Amino acid sequence: MKSIISKILLGIVLIIIVLVLLLFVSNNKKNEKYTDLKNALSNTFFYLDNNDYTDMNTISDLCKISLIFDTNYMNSDYTIYENDKINGYTKQNVVKSIKNILGDNAIINFEMNELNSYDFLLSDNCIYNNKITNLTYNSDKNVLYNSGDEISNRFIMVNWINDSENMDYLTLKAQALMIVKNEKYDLYKDNKMEYLIGSYNSLNEAKNAARKNYNKSYDYEFEFKKENGNYIWTEFHRKIYNDVIVD
């Protein structure tokens, strides 16, 4: 009798262990499937001009490119030969790739403007994404690429705090701060550099300070709808409460 009870208890313990492992694996897979999405968002959202968007196709073309450039959303399909081999992206590739995160209505205007330039190369805050600081377009080959070694003096620190999925809808939430390299490494609450948290002697010190000060961040919220296997970014909200400049 005792032997039977022991076997039953052992079986229950093994079932519990298996269930816990399955839950752990399931949570890890869930986090992994959001990794590419979060990496793309981190390139762009902190720099957006408006606090609220209900149509993400209204962000600038530069910010659209910043969103996917040099991420898993877009694979290089051309090679540029300058001093070294540089990954390039054809116009068709860029447009097709942006649709995977902004939906089938997403467009980027590749037509030359009246100043013989391109609107998607006009600098706005998204140019501070280090991946596109030297963005260049070869109009003869219709290829977009990043040339040069110069990088931005800004670094975005992001703390993802909540994932909520309900049927075909996904909500992500985050906190974020910005480090700007000047004479020192200045840590800011906002992209306009109006709310300074502190100044530090090294990038590592500033990053550590950011991790300790995420509570000073605005609240960032992202809404998505699943379409054709992709999470399409539909809304963005930067929630600001009682801005106070930190001494």
Side-chain angles (χ1 to χ4, degrees):
M1 186 67 177
K2 288 183 178 179
S3 176
I4 295 175
I5 294 174
S6 296
K7 289 180 179 179
I8 291 173
L9 290 174
L10 179 61
I12 292 172
V13 170
L14 289 175
I15 290 172
I16 292 173
I17 291 173
V18 170
L19 290 174
V20 170
L21 288 174
L22 288 174
L23 181 62
F24 178 77
V25 170
S26 175
N27 284 336
N28 274 349
K29 285 184 177 179
K30 182 178 179 180
N31 289 331
E32 286 173 5
K33 72 179 180 181
Y34 298 148
T35 298
D36 290 343
L37 186 58
K38 290 177 177 178
N39 288 341
L41 295 171
S42 296
N43 289 338
T44 299
F45 77 86
F46 197 85
Y47 301 121
L48 294 178
D49 291 331
N50 299 335
N51 292 330
D52 297 280
Y53 291 86
T54 55
D55 180 358
M56 299 314 302
N57 280 302
T58 62
I59 66 177
S60 72
D61 283 354
L62 182 64
C63 287
K64 291 176 186 177
I65 293 169
S66 171
L67 187 64
I68 63 170
F69 198 89
D70 197 23
T71 72
N72 287 337
Y73 275 92
M74 186 167 66
N75 296 316
S76 171
D77 59 343
Y78 199 92
T79 301
I80 299 291
Y81 292 92
E82 291 190 346
N83 294 329
D84 297 305
K85 291 195 300 184
I86 302 173
N87 288 334
Y89 306 86
T90 63
K91 175 175 68 175
Q92 294 81 3
N93 182 16
V94 175
V95 174
K96 180 180 177 181
S97 299
I98 198 64
K99 291 179 184 293
N100 290 330
I101 191 170
L102 294 185
D104 289 338
N105 293 328
I107 59 171
I108 294 176
N109 181 13
F110 279 90
E111 297 298 321
M112 187 174 286
N113 60 31
E114 58 190 16
L115 299 176
N116 293 325
S117 183
Y118 298 93
D119 290 339
F120 64 84
L121 292 179
L122 296 177
S123 293
D124 58 23
N125 280 336
C126 284
I127 198 66
Y128 292 114
N129 170 13
N130 275 313
K131 294 180 179 179
I132 65 164
T133 301
N134 304 289
L135 196 65
T136 303
Y137 183 62
N138 185 318
S139 57
D140 293 329
K141 302 181 184 299
N142 292 322
V143 172
L144 193 68
Y145 64 102
N146 203 27
S147 64
D149 297 324
E150 181 184 355
I151 62 172
S152 166
N153 67 334
R154 304 189 187 194
F155 309 86
I156 305 300
M157 297 289 292
V158 183
N159 180 36
W160 295 99
I161 56 177
N162 190 27
D163 306 338
S164 175
E165 189 171 6
N166 182 15
M167 301 295 287
D168 289 334
Y169 295 89
L170 171 67
T171 299
L172 301 180
K173 295 183 180 181
Q175 299 168 319
L177 301 170
M178 181 173 70
I179 299 169
V180 181
K181 182 181 179 182
N182 292 308
E183 293 181 3
K184 289 192 173 185
Y185 291 85
D186 299 324
L187 180 63
Y188 288 96
K189 177 177 180 174
D190 64 310
N191 63 22
K192 295 181 180 178
M193 297 183 289
E194 294 177 346
Y195 300 98
L196 177 68
I197 293 173
S199 297
Y200 308 90
N201 293 320
S202 70
L203 181 57
N204 281 338
E205 284 184 34
K207 287 183 176 181
N208 288 332
R211 296 183 186 102
K212 296 175 182 177
N213 284 278
Y214 279 130
N215 62 306
K216 295 184 173 69
S217 166
Y218 299 138
D219 291 331
Y220 296 89
E221 188 171 300
F222 312 81
E223 301 288 345
F224 303 86
K225 184 178 180 181
K226 198 169 187 179
E227 295 179 2
N228 301 320
N230 295 315
Y231 289 101
I232 303 302
W233 190 12
T234 57
E235 293 187 29
F236 168 75
H237 304 284
R238 182 191 288 116
K239 299 182 179 180
I240 297 176
Y241 312 100
N242 298 324
D243 261 337
V244 177
I245 296 178
V246 181
D247 292 328

